[in-house]
Amino acid sequence: MRQSSVDASADAALARMGYKSELPRNLSMLSVLGLSFAIMAAPYGLSTTLYITLTDGQSVSVIWGWVLVTLISLAIAASLAEICAVYPTAGGVYYWSAMLSTKEWAPMMSFIDGWLTLVGNWTVTLSITFGGAQLILSAISLWDETFVANAWQTVLMFWAVILFCALVNIFFSKWLDLINKVCIFWTAASVIIILVTLLVMADDRRDGAFVFGHYDASESGWPSGWAFFVGLLQAAYTLTGYGMVAAMCEEVQNPHREVPKAIVLSVFAAGVTGLLYLIPVMFVLPNVKTLLNVASGQPIGLVFKMATGSAGGGFGLLFLVLGIMIFAGIGALTAASRCTYAFARDGAIPGFRLWRKVNPRLDVPVWAIILSAVIDCLLGLIYFGSTAAFNSFTGVATICLSTSYGVPIFISILRGRQAVKESTFSLGRFGYAINVLTICWILLAVVLFCMPVSLPVDAESMNYASVVFAGFAAISIGWYVVYARKHFTGPPLSGEQMAELSPVMSGKAVPDAENGDEMEVVKK
């Protein structure tokens, strides 16, 4: 009975925001924390991007870059959590941008931020699953050092990974709560096992001066100081996914309390986990040039092999990281599909009537899952033209999600933080300072993560993050010109909410394709 009343209260709150509840509220705070923890997947994300910091500064970039970005990410997460506590809906930052804006600017702000969020969600899922495919294939080289996966093998493995994640999301959605919780314990256990194994079995160890103070950016081609900032992509990419879980608000009990807590706690947990993982790896780090010459571009397997003294031992540790990757891929696709569903619900995506459908038997937006997976599969084809495709995927994911987080925070600052004054997750008197810090970092990140990891570059090694970003921008602008500028008015608002937030725009629900029903909302 109590559970039903909690769900009814959350559904009523959602209705006041102009939406009908269609997804079951079967996720707990621990589950959402696990989902966010899974998407960030610190040991996995740090493993697949290790080549970045080994090129751009080595130990100082690895350890202190991680600490720096963790602190900045906590500031961004807290800023988002403060807003999420006021507007707990699957639309996430897209919805928040509309609610925080003025009536005149809200449609455009929500449309822009919605597309940034959507592309960010898709490309985070892409980078996780694509990096996972590379890592799986790199395991073969533990036994056969001459093995180098070709483009077709890499892309086919990537498709297999994302297909698996899609099937889990479609047919095992009722188990997502358990999967997300198991992820927390799998990750924690994996880090402990890896930490102990590396420090006990490694014959050669670096000293503390190397682990915490060695800096060498000679392999990067960048000026020494600037290379450190370019190397921050490793940490920034790994710690980007926390805001994606706002898309799960409509599947959580008491989302205004539980989701904000999960957003912030997941960053803290990922920060600690990442540090516990990185320190032992750096203590047993082999020759850096040897690692950078690994053909697959994924040297972590070789680190494990050399530390344990055997291919089997190396694979055993790598298997733990691959398990984390599977959790991350499933979680990222879950969040991406819910983001797609939420944005399509307001008519902001071509073909929205299909993508917003929720399968009544499976209780999931099946077509949104399929669209997210297909988009990622198509983007994976970039690898045929660029061996640095993974770097491009991580870059565009970080840029899109970071800027999508920045839009509502920036609007909130411009409007005097009026909307968040009564937030149940208030930042209080530190709110302005924290918000401004996040905006400054995001502006820097956009510039940094369009840059290649090292110089010089050619057509194959270039960072194509800006190209992918421009491509999606062209699609979104085209859709806006053809359809959205006349029909898209932003998220819907109920009459009650409109009365409470009179300076803020109201929206128009998109009619249902089958029966033309429309939610009762206030029109502009």
Side-chain angles (χ1 to χ4, degrees), residues 206-214 283:
R206 305 277 191 169
D207 58 21
F210 175 86
V211 172
F212 298 104
H214 178 72
F283 266 112

Side-chain angles (χ1 to χ4, degrees), residues 110-440:
S110 62
F111 189 84
I112 292 172
D113 206 28
W115 271 94
L116 287 171
T117 307
L118 194 62
V119 175
N121 275 259
W122 285 342
T123 50
V124 160
T125 307
L126 166 65
S127 58
I128 289 171
T129 49
F130 193 91
Q134 290 183 312
L135 205 59
I136 291 171
L137 292 171
S138 74
I140 299 174
S141 64
L142 295 179
W143 285 274
D144 181 4
E145 295 182 3
T146 63
F147 174 78
V148 179
N150 60 37
W152 267 114
Q153 290 169 327
T154 303
V155 171
L156 288 174
M157 180 60 72
F158 158 62
W159 286 350
V161 172
I162 203 163
L163 175 62
F164 175 81
C165 295
L167 291 175
V168 171
N169 268 279
I170 292 173
F171 296 108
F172 297 92
S173 61
K174 289 182 172 62
W175 295 93
L176 288 178
D177 181 66
L178 177 61
I179 290 171
N180 294 336
K181 291 175 181 176
V182 170
C183 169
I184 297 175
F185 298 104
W186 177 281
T187 303
S190 297
V191 169
I192 293 171
I193 292 170
I194 291 171
L195 184 154
V196 173
T197 303
L198 291 181
L199 296 181
V200 169
M201 295 191 68
D203 293 327
D204 299 316
R205 296 183 184 86
R206 305 277 191 169
D207 58 21
F210 175 86
V211 172
F212 298 104
H214 178 72
Y215 185 79
D216 180 2
S218 59
E219 296 290 330
S220 71
W222 291 107
S224 182
W226 186 248
F228 172 80
F229 291 100
V230 175
L232 293 179
L233 175 59
Q234 180 194 35
Y237 160 70
T238 303
L239 288 171
T240 295
Y242 47 86
M244 293 170 64
V245 297
M248 308 305 294
C249 279
E250 294 174 29
E251 298 172 63
V252 181
Q253 303 102 23
N254 295 316
H256 64 290
R257 289 202 307 267
E258 306 300 346
V259 176
K261 286 191 292 185
I263 290 173
V264 176
L265 284 174
S266 64
V267 176
F268 177 78
V272 173
T273 302
L275 203 58
L276 291 176
Y277 177 74
L278 287 172
I279 290 175
V281 168
M282 297 309 295
F283 266 112
V284 302
L285 195 74
N287 180 271
V288 172
K289 287 191 176 181
T290 301
L291 297 177
L292 292 177
N293 287 330
V294 171
S296 66
Q298 298 292 346
I300 194 65
L302 182 59
V303 173
F304 292 158
K305 177 182 177 180
M306 296 181 73
T308 59
S310 69
F315 179 75
L317 298 183
L318 187 63
F319 178 80
L320 297 175
V321 176
L322 290 174
I324 296 172
M325 179 272 294
I326 292 297
F327 285 116
I330 293 170
L333 187 57
T334 301
S337 64
R338 301 312 190 267
C339 175
T340 304
Y341 156 78
F343 206 33
R345 186 169 56 181
D346 292 325
I349 308 173
F352 59 85
R353 288 185 173 85
L354 179 62
W355 316 129
R356 72 182 184 182
K357 289 181 180 292
V358 176
N359 186 287
R361 184 171 64 87
L362 299 171
D363 279 334
V364 292
V366 172
W367 287 107
I369 295 172
I370 292 173
L371 175 64
S372 301
V374 169
I375 291 290
D376 285 345
C377 286
L378 293 175
L379 285 174
L381 297 176
I382 293 175
Y383 190 69
F384 287 110
S386 171
T387 55
F390 177 69
N391 187 42
S392 302
F393 300 153
T394 57
V396 74
T398 307
I399 291 168
C400 286
L401 284 182
S402 296
T403 50
S404 75
Y405 299 161
V407 171
I409 296 171
F410 184 64
I411 295 172
S412 179
I413 294 172
L414 290 180
R415 305 208 67 196
R417 291 175 40 84
Q418 293 296 318
V420 296
K421 282 189 174 180
E422 303 301 322
S423 172
T424 56
F425 197 95
S426 175
L427 299 181
R429 60 181 179 176
F430 300 105
Y432 272 111
I434 293 173
N435 290 168
V436 170
L437 171 66
T438 65
I439 297 301
C440 291

